[in-house]
Each structure stands twice: as structure tokens, then as C-alpha cells.
């Protein structure tokens, strides 16, 4: 068995290592983290404005007073992601990062129609629709940011710059150095937009949304795709690789888009369109003790196992585990390359995620509203915040029991083997 695991590890680790170090996946991850504090603030505003014990009139009043807290953060998340991609991509090429972010954002806006469709069928020109800057515009934002970042960095690297004397202030020198690369990059996007709008009478937002974003979002919101992502996260962690960083770099754009869709529907009072979203993944997987939902395993080790080694690991891991930090368990039990633990480590998240999905699909428990909850919020409280219902917290506690039943026989085997 150990030889088999070693052979798998030898094959999978180089691939996972390359994915983890991939320039574009790293940039995408960092760009979403740039927007994290802002979306967190917007989520707090949404939670406060929609507390379940408030009346509809109170919610409406709070929304009118404090709604811009959400409009200026979560509703325009694509803006922050675009700037972040341009910034971090330029930084990875050792190019002045702030200008790269600004050029990426401007390129995205060039492709964005400054027209709003009114309910009566008329069009209002000269305005930006929030949905273009949020969920609906997320994929075109990422495409524009990566493409513009590459053009800007490559032109800069070729030395096509206006160089100023050393006596000129640094801020002015950097601005003139960015002038030609910025003009070339923005001109490319201006011509692309002119061709699409002039020849094909449409815009790239709608093209990308219909051809790329909708199919990918539909696939990413499905249970099979979700289970595959979770399996890969757990499988990579088993070999000591940070599965979430690797897999979430690919899936986060989809899950975040689904989150924004749910948030828009929740605020409009409509039925939530998706079950699987970023908050679903954070709250009902990571929110139960970290990757692998190990809080139940920590409790079993701390209070039910006989071997002092495991009792100590469980008790030391309890405080971090309550805040969903489980590296002490992963490397202390250990989970990594521990054949006895591999089955519950992979199986528990798959079973519980399927269980939660089916219950939410049946309407027995509420799906996450689209509010972003920090992954460090303890169990029960994170479930309540994510679903705006105490039922979300109760579901997490049920999940904890299920995970405990899955882990217990394997931990007992491990305990008996070492007594």
C-alpha cells in the first residue's frame, strides 16, 4: 500500500506543483484576495440590512440608507478583480504594477457598453449598469485584464517608452514611461470594441456571457463538478499539497459569480438560483474545521481516543480547529500520506456535500444567500450568517455528527494499532 501511495505521489506532485506555481492561476488568486476586504464589508452591510427579525419596511429603509455599502463593493466586484489581475500580472513581469492595473481596468471599461436597458424597453445611454460590473461581467473582466496585462507588459519589456532625464521626479518619469504601452494597449481594445459593435451590432460582454460564462457557471454549479473539485482538493492535501490554493484558483471565478447571482436574487426577494456558491464551499466544507471537515476528528481525538499522543494532538488542535485552521491535524495526526486516514479524509466531505446539496435542493434547509462569510468564523455562526437563518447553523451541526460517524471507526483502528 505504501509503495502504491509513493508511486502516485511521485506522479501527481510535479503536476500539482506546476499548477500551484502557474503565473496566471497565482495572479487570479491574488486578484480575488484583493477584493476580499471589500466584499466582506459589503456582506456585513447586507447581513445587517436583512436581519430576519426586521420588518419589510425596516429592511427597505435600511437598504435606502446603507445600500451603497453593498453597491460600492460586492456589486462591482469585477472592477476590483480586473485591477487586481492587471496589477499582479504586471508585478510578476517586474513592470510598474499600478499602471498595469489601471490599464487593465480601462481596457475592461472600453469593452463595457455605457447603455442601460430600461424596463419599458428603452435604452438610457451614458450610464453603466451594475450587473456589467458584477456577476454578469466577471468573465469578460478577467479575459480583458489578462489580455491587456500581457500586451502592456510585453510592450513595456520591449523598451517602447519615453525616457525622462534623471532630474525629473520619479512619479512623472513612471507616468511617461507608461504612456506608449498604455496607448498601444488601449488602442487594441478600442478597435476590438469598434469592430464588435460596428460590424456585429453587439458587445463582447453579451458574447462572452452567452458563449463562455453561462455554460461554465452552469457546469460549476452542478453537484458532480463540485464533488470533483472537493475530491481533488482532498487528494492533493493527502500528498501534502495545498489543494485549495491549486483547485480554488480555477474554481473561484465560477463560485464567486454564482455568489453574486444569489446575492442579487436575495436582495430582489427572488428565489435563489444556485446552491453551490463560494459561501456554500466556505461554510459547509471549510467551515467545519478546515479542509476535510476535521473538527469532528479533533473532538474524537481529544475526548474519545485512549492513546496520549492522539489526545494531545486533538486538544492542541481544538482551538485552531474551531476557527477552521487544521494544519495541526493535517501534519500532526498526520493526514498526509496516512493510508488509514485516506478514506475518511476524502469520503467525509463528498458525503456531507452531497447531503447538504440534496437538502437545500429539496427546500428543507436554505441555501447561502450570497453573503460572503470569513472562513475563520466558527461552526454554527458561519452557517447562520451565510443563510440568514438559524437552520444554516443547525445543518452544520448535523454535518459535524455525520463527519464524526465517518471518521470514528478509522480513528479507533489507528488508536488500537498504537496502544
Amino acid at each position: 500500500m505504501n509503495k502504491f501511495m509513493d508511486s502516485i505521489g511521485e506522479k501527481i506532485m510535479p503536476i500539482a506543483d506546476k499548477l500551484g506555481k502557474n503565473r496566471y492561476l497565482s495572479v487570479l488568486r491574488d486578484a480575488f484576495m484583493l477584493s476580499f476586504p471589500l466584499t466582506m464589508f459589503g456582506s456585513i452591510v447586507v447581513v445587517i440590512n436583512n436581519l430576519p427579525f426586521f420588518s419589510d419596511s425596516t429592511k427597505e429603509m435600511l437598504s435606502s440608507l446603507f445600500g451603497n455599502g453593498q453597491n460600492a463593493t460586492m456589486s462591482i466586484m469585477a472592477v476590483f478583480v480586473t485591477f487586481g489581475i492587471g496589477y499582479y500580472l504586471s508585478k510578476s513581469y517586474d513592470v510598474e504594477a499600478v499602471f498595469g492595473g489601471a490599464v487593465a481596468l480601462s481596457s475592461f471599461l472600453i469593452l463595457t457598453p455605457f447603455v442601460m436597458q430600461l424596463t419599458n424597453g428603452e435604452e438610457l445611454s451614458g450610464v453603466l449598469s451594475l450587473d456589467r460590473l458584477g456577476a454578469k461581467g466577471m468573465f469578460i473582466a478577467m479575459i480583458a485584464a489578462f489580455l491587456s496585462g500581457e500586451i502592456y507588459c510585453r510592450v513595456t519589456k520591449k523598451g517602447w517608452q519615453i525616457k525622462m532625464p534623471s532630474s525629473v521626479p520619479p512619479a512623472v518619469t513612471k507616468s511617461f514611461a507608461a504612456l506608449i504601452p498604455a496607448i498601444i494597449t488601449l488602442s487594441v481594445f478600442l478597435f476590438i470594441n469598434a469592430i464588435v459593435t460596428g460590424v456585429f451590432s453587439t458587445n463582447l460582454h453579451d458574447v462572452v456571457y452567452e458563449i463562455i460564462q453561462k455554460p461554465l457557471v452552469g457546469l460549476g454549479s452542478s453537484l458532480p463538478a463540485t464533488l470533483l473539485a472537493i475530491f481533488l482538493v482532498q487528494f492533493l492535501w493527502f500528498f501534502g499539497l495545498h489543494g485549495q490554493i491549486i483547485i480554488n484558483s480555477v474554481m473561484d471565478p465560477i463560485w464567486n459569480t454564482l455568489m453574486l447571482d444569489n446575492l442579487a436574487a436575495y436582495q430582489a426577494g427572488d428565489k435563489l438560483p444556485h446552491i453551490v456558491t463560494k459561501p456554500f464551499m466556505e461554510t459547509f466544507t471549510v467551515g467545519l474545521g478546515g479542509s476535510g471537515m476535521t473538527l469532528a476528528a479533533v473532538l474524537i481525538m481529544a475526548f474519545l481516543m485512549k492513546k496520549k499522543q492522539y489526545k494531545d494532538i486533538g486538544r492542541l488542535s481544538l482551538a485552531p480547529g474551531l476557527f477552521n485552521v487544521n494544519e495541526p491535524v493535517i501534519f500532526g495526526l498526520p493526514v498526509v500520506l496516512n493510508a488509514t486516514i485516506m478514506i475518511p479524509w476524502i469520503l467525509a466531505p463528498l458525503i456531507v456535500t452531497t447531503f447538504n446539496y440534496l437538502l437545500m435542493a429539496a427546500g428543507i434547509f436554505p441555501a447561502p444567500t450570497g453573503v460572503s462569510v470569513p472562513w475563520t468564523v466558527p461552526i454554527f455562526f458561519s452557517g447562520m450568517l451565510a443563510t440568514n437563518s438559524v437552520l444554516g447553523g443547525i445543518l452544520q451541526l448535523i454535518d459535524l455528527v455525520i463527519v464524526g460517524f465517518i471518521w470514528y471507526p478509522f480513528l479507533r483502528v489507528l488508536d488500537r494499532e498504537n496502544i
Side-chain angles (χ1 to χ4, degrees):
M1 184 66 174
N2 289 334
K3 289 183 179 180
F4 177 68
M5 291 298 175
D6 290 341
S7 65
I8 294 178
E10 289 174 2
K11 294 177 181 178
I12 199 70
M13 288 181 73
I15 299 173
D17 186 57
K18 286 182 180 179
L19 287 174
K21 294 179 179 178
N22 181 271
R23 181 196 302 270
Y24 302 106
L25 292 181
S26 298
V27 165
L28 192 60
R29 180 192 66 227
D30 292 342
F32 274 104
M33 289 309 298
L34 175 69
S35 67
F36 177 75
L38 306 172
T39 56
M40 196 56 56
F41 172 78
S43 296
I44 293 170
V45 172
V46 172
V47 169
I48 294 173
N49 288 352
N50 295 275
L51 290 172
F53 49 81
F54 285 163
S55 64
D56 290 341
S57 60
T58 301
K59 291 179 182 179
E60 186 176 344
M61 180 192 69
L62 291 173
S63 180
S64 65
L65 292 175
F66 304 115
N68 275 357
Q70 185 259 325
N71 292 335
T73 52
M74 294 189 73
S75 293
I76 58 170
M77 187 175 174
V79 172
F80 308 123
V81 171
T82 305
F83 180 86
I85 290 173
Y87 180 92
Y88 287 111
L89 185 61
S90 299
K91 191 175 181 180
S92 73
Y93 282 114
D94 294 322
V95 172
E96 191 64 37
V98 171
F99 290 100
V103 169
L105 178 56
S106 184
S107 300
F108 165 61
L109 292 176
I110 285 175
L111 301 179
T112 304
F114 282 68
V115 176
M116 181 182 290
Q117 194 77 30
L118 301 179
T119 53
N120 60 6
E122 296 181 1
E123 289 186 347
L124 181 63
S125 60
V127 295
L128 275 169
S129 177
L130 275 182
D131 64 341
R132 303 285 190 186
L133 306 179
K136 194 172 182 180
M138 186 63 72
F139 275 70
I140 184 63
M142 291 188 294
I143 293 170
F146 276 116
L147 181 58
S148 63
E150 282 290 337
I151 296 172
Y152 176 79
C153 291
R154 291 176 187 275
V155 172
T156 302
K157 285 290 188 180
K158 286 183 178 293
W160 297 355
Q161 299 174 315
I162 299 175
K163 300 186 183 296
M164 304 297 287
S166 59
S167 59
V168 175
V172 177
T173 300
K174 292 176 182 178
S175 181
F176 272 90
L179 182 60
I180 292 176
I183 289 175
I184 292 174
T185 303
L186 296 178
S187 296
V188 170
F189 281 84
L190 190 61
F191 279 113
I192 291 174
N193 186 65
I195 292 171
V196 173
T197 56
V199 177
F200 300 101
S201 300
T202 184
N203 62 81
L204 275 178
H205 270 257
D206 292 339
V207 172
V208 170
Y209 181 75
E210 293 295 331
I211 296 177
I212 299 176
Q213 183 165 329
K214 280 181 71 174
L216 282 178
V217 166
L219 177 64
S221 64
S222 68
L223 181 59
T226 304
L227 294 179
L228 177 60
I230 291 173
F231 171 80
L232 291 173
V233 167
Q234 299 304 111
F235 186 72
L236 291 171
W237 260 122
F238 180 77
F239 292 97
L241 301 167
H242 201 304
Q244 284 184 312
I245 289 180
I246 297 169
I247 302 304
N248 286 17
S249 297
V250 178
M251 297 302 297
D252 271 353
I254 296 174
W255 289 335
N256 278 299
T257 301
L258 296 168
M259 174 187 74
L260 295 176
D261 282 344
N262 269 22
L263 182 63
Y266 175 68
Q267 288 190 302
D270 299 332
K271 181 181 178 182
L272 299 180
H274 312 293
I275 294 173
V276 177
T277 58
K278 182 64 173 177
F280 176 86
M281 301 304 298
E282 294 284 3
T283 306
F284 294 100
T285 58
V286 178
L288 287 115
S291 296
M293 306 178 178
T294 52
L295 183 58
V298 168
L299 292 170
I300 292 171
M301 286 190 293
F303 302 109
L304 297 180
M305 294 183 75
K306 297 178 180 179
K307 184 72 173 178
K308 186 178 184 300
Q309 170 193 348
Y310 296 122
K311 279 184 175 293
D312 290 343
I313 292 171
R315 289 168 183 173
L316 290 172
S317 303
L318 188 56
L322 289 172
F323 295 94
N324 305 315
V325 176
N326 67 344
E327 276 77 4
V329 182
I330 292 175
F331 298 106
L333 180 57
V335 170
V336 175
L337 295 176
N338 188 336
T340 307
I341 296 302
M342 184 179 185
I343 293 176
W345 170 253
I346 293 178
L347 196 61
L350 297 177
I351 291 175
V352 170
T353 300
T354 303
F355 175 74
N356 291 339
Y357 185 95
L358 295 176
L359 287 180
M360 290 179 183
I364 299 172
F365 285 88
T369 59
V371 169
S372 182
V373 180
W375 61 270
T376 51
V377 174
I379 188 173
F380 187 75
F381 298 104
S382 60
M384 285 197 302
L385 290 173
T387 60
N388 199 32
S389 169
V390 70
L391 290 176
I394 292 172
L395 180 57
Q396 283 186 308
L397 296 179
I398 296 171
D399 292 341
L400 186 69
V401 174
I402 295 173
V403 174
F405 274 110
I406 296 171
W407 272 84
Y408 182 74
F410 295 92
L411 290 175
R412 287 294 297 159
V413 168
L414 202 63
D415 200 22
R416 286 195 295 267
E417 286 179 351
N418 288 273
I419 291 177

